[in-house]
Amino acid sequence: MGDIPQPASKPHKVGDHVQVYIGPDDPDSDYHGLICEITNVIKDNLAKETGRNLDAYSYNLRNLETGESLPVSFRHNDVVPLRDD
């Protein structure tokens, strides 16, 4: 069994490449595993409610395979940086 990918320890930037990593029970689970580019960084005040700084970030993504923008945004904890293996 491999390691479970973890979210980045700092916010992503426009142009970063990430993989969507969400559970099978998530309503957007069809996007799990997609390799994407971040096209927009959204910052809100969720971190004030949760006490976790990275909860303030969500991202608009573009599928690198098809070039299409995804119709939903993803929270920081729903994307993981690509590994440089």
Side-chain angles (χ1 to χ4, degrees), residues 17-47:
H17 291 180
V18 297
Q19 183 175 22
V20 177
Y21 198 86
I22 52 181
D25 58 336
D26 189 289
D28 297 316
S29 64
D30 289 348
Y31 301 109
H32 177 77
L34 289 182
I35 306 298
C36 298
E37 179 179 28
I38 293 179
T39 58
N40 188 35
V41 178
I42 304 157
K43 188 172 180 186
D44 59 25
N45 63 358
L46 183 61

Side-chain angles (χ1 to χ4, degrees), residues 63-78:
N63 183 328
L64 284 176
E65 186 175 319
T66 66
E68 294 180 16
S69 294
L70 302 188
V72 295
S73 61
F74 291 89
R75 287 278 173 191
H76 184 82
N77 286 335
D78 294 334

